[in-house]
Amino acid sequence: MTIELPLVFAVLMGIAILAYVVLDGYDLGVGMLMLAADEREQSTMVASIGPFWDANETWLVLGIGLLLVAFPSAHGIVLGALYVPVFVMLIGLMLRGVAFEFRVKAEGWHRGLWNWLFWLGSFVASLAQGLMLGHYITGFEPGFGYFLFALAVAGGLCGGYVLLGATWLILKSDGELQRKAVAWTRWGLLWIAAGIALVSIATPIASATVRNRWFDFPHTFAAMLLPLASAAVWLWLWCLTAQLKHGRRVAEWAPFAGAVAIFTLAFAGLAYSLFPYLVIDRMTIWEAAAHPTALAVVLVGALIVLPAIAGYTVFSYRVFRGKAPAKLYD
Amino acid sequence: MQEALVLARAQFGLNIAFHILFPAISIGLAWILVYFRARYERTGERTWLEPYRLWTKIFALTFAMGVVTGITMSFQFGTNWPGFMNKVGNVAGPLLGYEVLTAFFLEATFLGVMLFGMNRVPGWLHLISTVLVAVGTTLSAFWILALNSWMHTPAGHAHADGQLVAADWLQVIFNPSFPYRMTHMLLASGLTACFFLAGLSAWRLLKAPGDASALRTLRTGVVVAAVLAPTQALVGDLHGLNTLEHQPAKLAAIEALWETERGAPLVLFAVPNQLERRNDYAIEIPKAASLILGHDLDAEIKGLNEFAPDIPPVTPVFFSFRVMVGTGLLMIGVAWFGSWCLRGGALPPRWLLRTFAGFTFLGWIATLAGWMVTEIGRQPWLVTGVLRTADAVGPASGAHLGSSLTAYIITYALMLVAYLVVLTHLAGKGGAPQADAKAVAWQGSAA
């Protein structure tokens, strides 16, 4: 039996990118909500992501690392075409990464400045990631129309991150901040609904490949399961947050789990639309794959190491379970 | 195309130079933190806990700077040097992949436990977390230096369809220059961290002479540096002999030796003149280079003429080597003299504290100079004998590269200023948490 190495790596890379989007997504979302909170709440918000943000961001490095390791020729095409948004994202990630450490140690107006930079960095990084996704879906076609489309995707992704961040805060905070988080969640839900609707209408217009894929009867009926499931989760979250709003007790992890489910479904939809292309209409995963010897040596390592990573990630989330403290360093 | 190559190199050079500043501190500092944490675990003394808490914060700050600039590098492989991955991706990719898998997640996850988990996990588990962070930073250095050394002295690979594949991974990883480069870099990081620790502690002592923790960390830094600095000189010499064997062109550039010679002189100072292939204003010790490198007064040393036209730019290699060695000798002197002055545990005189404070970033100078020697010395090759730098550059336009380079310079300058401001602020406050002082005052007023 031969192992389909390129396929295995496409799946691994997909998992890494989804893990990144969900994990760094919630802390980017918390960052984007910073300006909507007061000073005390800001400290709790930062404390809620303090032990995790660094490991969260590592998934981005793994995702890009797998692209580089497993699909070296696509790596150059993708990153070359995305030169500008990648660079903007990096500046954003740098800003928020250091602002995160600096704001804790600063006092007075310095802290206000770092809070603002933390917000700005989170927002710029999220927006740039959305632009990257938008350009990627349309195969890096130039033109103003495609740019507008990418901008719409970027808006949608920001909304999604805000949703993840707000539901994370429902889990990690209580009192006034939690009440605010419930309201933010509902805003995020409306935002993401508009975003997904817009993108779902625009994508088949922007890309012929996606259009054919979506309207290929009878496969369309199977593919329709994804948006239907998303809509169901969305409704469930809407009702759940309505209950929270009226002070009824519900499981506090449920909204976050719902937000993760929406992301996972959207991601599955994206994978369905693109497969087997790595660069749409140009390069399949088999065409882009690295030499089997290189893939095999990484796969062996990944199979040994990934369970260990999963293990100590769970350990870390267990150590820091429960409500976030009011201060990061006690 | 030429413009894009220059800009791409400038951008990557800026990035790697800025990035290396932070791992240079954090690899060594991580092990110093293990020492503090272990001492606290055994003794339970506040004078070990206080420095641990203070220096974990400084570590976190430094680590964050390293992480964000490192992510930038991982993307610039693709944006600036797609030819690198196309040609040697099958060798370089897995090494980078293993770095992420074995090192990044480990250090990032346990850093969270180390920074915020002291009251949430048992002491021994917290100590282990601290150790794992140190292991992670060192593992990270292991993989990066394996790749970097392989680029200098490639081994264990084969050619297949215009690309390189690994034939023997052990030979790829443990390539001829790897053991020397790895040891040299780890010692460099240890020294950088020691002078950093000693410098900021001295600065604290100038403001608060009674701070027992700061005196302790000052002594730790100076004494460890006194051991590491001469060791580094020895390892550096071995590394040089390794370079002579495997990268003679780089060595000829270091020595500014234009023609192959028997009884080559050691050039102490000169202004290399690459156009006319000679040294201006040279001060030399006759036959010393042959003696040091060949262990014989009349040993033959290959000159740059043997390798033309593939020779590196001589002037920057020549000067940065001398800066590195000079800084290294200064470190030996300062660390030994300081250890002698600090014996007995008395508070050192203020001029000595000022000296250490002034040398806080001495390690940065030596490390940067060392990297310039080794990286510029490899030119015009990206991978020696396999891939030229000019053949790896990407299609990004000069305009894109130019504007992003400007933005990087501005961002890095701001980050560096912010880093130094927060650093002096933290170091000035010392290890005793401010909250404690307030709590004491509050309890006092209540009573």
Side-chain angles (χ1 to χ4, degrees), chain A residues 50-62 64-65 68-69 72-77 79-80 82-84 86-87 89-91 93-98 100-102 105-107 110 114 132 290-302 305-306 309 312-313 315-316 318-325 327-330, chain B residues 11 53 56-58 60-61 63-65 67-69 71-72 74-80 82 85-86 89-94 96-98 100-102 104-106 108-113 115-117 119-121 125 129 160 163 165-166 169 395-396 400-401 403-405 407-408 411-412 415 418-419 421-422 425-426 429 434-435:
Chain A
F52 310 114
W53 77 271
D54 204 345
N56 292 347
E57 219 158 77
T58 306
W59 288 97
L60 176 65
V61 184
L62 182 64
I64 219 64
L68 185 148
V69 174
S73 39
H75 176 256
I77 295 179
L79 291 186
L82 295 176
Y83 187 89
V84 175
V86 162
F87 157 73
M89 174 189 79
L90 291 173
I91 295 281
L93 287 179
M94 276 194 247
L95 269 185
R96 76 186 290 275
V98 295
F100 189 89
E101 287 297 329
F102 286 159
K105 283 125 195 165
E107 279 152 10
H110 275 256
W114 285 117
M132 286 156 68
H291 199 272
T293 54
L295 293 180
V297 76
V298 178
L299 186 64
V300 171
V305 178
L306 280 174
I309 293 175
Y312 58 66
T313 303
F315 163 76
S316 157
R318 273 189 59 81
V319 167
F320 298 103
R321 68 187 176 277
K323 301 297 179 188
K327 276 178 69 184
L328 188 54
Y329 288 96
D330 47 12
Chain B
Q11 189 176 88
R53 298 189 79 118
T56 45
K57 284 179 197 170
I58 293 177
L61 196 68
F63 191 83
M65 298 281 282
V67 168
V68 295
T69 51
I71 291 178
T72 309
S74 70
F75 277 91
Q76 282 190 350
F77 278 124
T79 54
N80 293 16
M85 276 298 149
N86 283 341
N90 291 320
V91 178
L96 291 169
Y98 269 89
V100 181
L101 286 171
T102 60
F104 283 1
F105 280 105
L106 191 72
T109 307
F110 285 97
L111 181 68
V113 180
L115 288 175
F116 312 114
N119 301 320
R120 288 174 179 256
V121 296
L125 193 51
S129 302
Q163 289 185 325
V165 291
W169 279 107
H400 272 169
L401 283 163
S403 47
S404 56
L405 177 64
Y408 277 124
T411 312
Y412 286 168
M415 279 166 64
Y419 177 73
V421 167
V422 178
H425 172 74
L426 273 176
K429 246 177 26 179
Q434 268 195 333

Side-chain angles (χ1 to χ4, degrees), chain B residues 201 205 209 211-220 342 345-348 353:
Chain B
S201 305
L205 282 171
D211 191 330
S213 306
L215 186 57
R216 219 165 219 188
T217 51
L218 172 70
R219 287 170 59 91
T220 308
L342 283 171
L347 187 69
L353 292 177

Side-chain angles (χ1 to χ4, degrees), chain B residues 214-248:
Chain B
L215 186 57
R216 219 165 219 188
T217 51
L218 172 70
R219 287 170 59 91
T220 308
V222 176
V223 171
V224 177
V227 178
L228 295 185
T231 316
Q232 179 70 311
L234 194 72
V235 171
D237 184 52
L238 293 173
H239 190 20
L241 292 176
N242 178 264
T243 306
L244 173 69
E245 188 184 342
H246 294 280
Q247 291 181 286

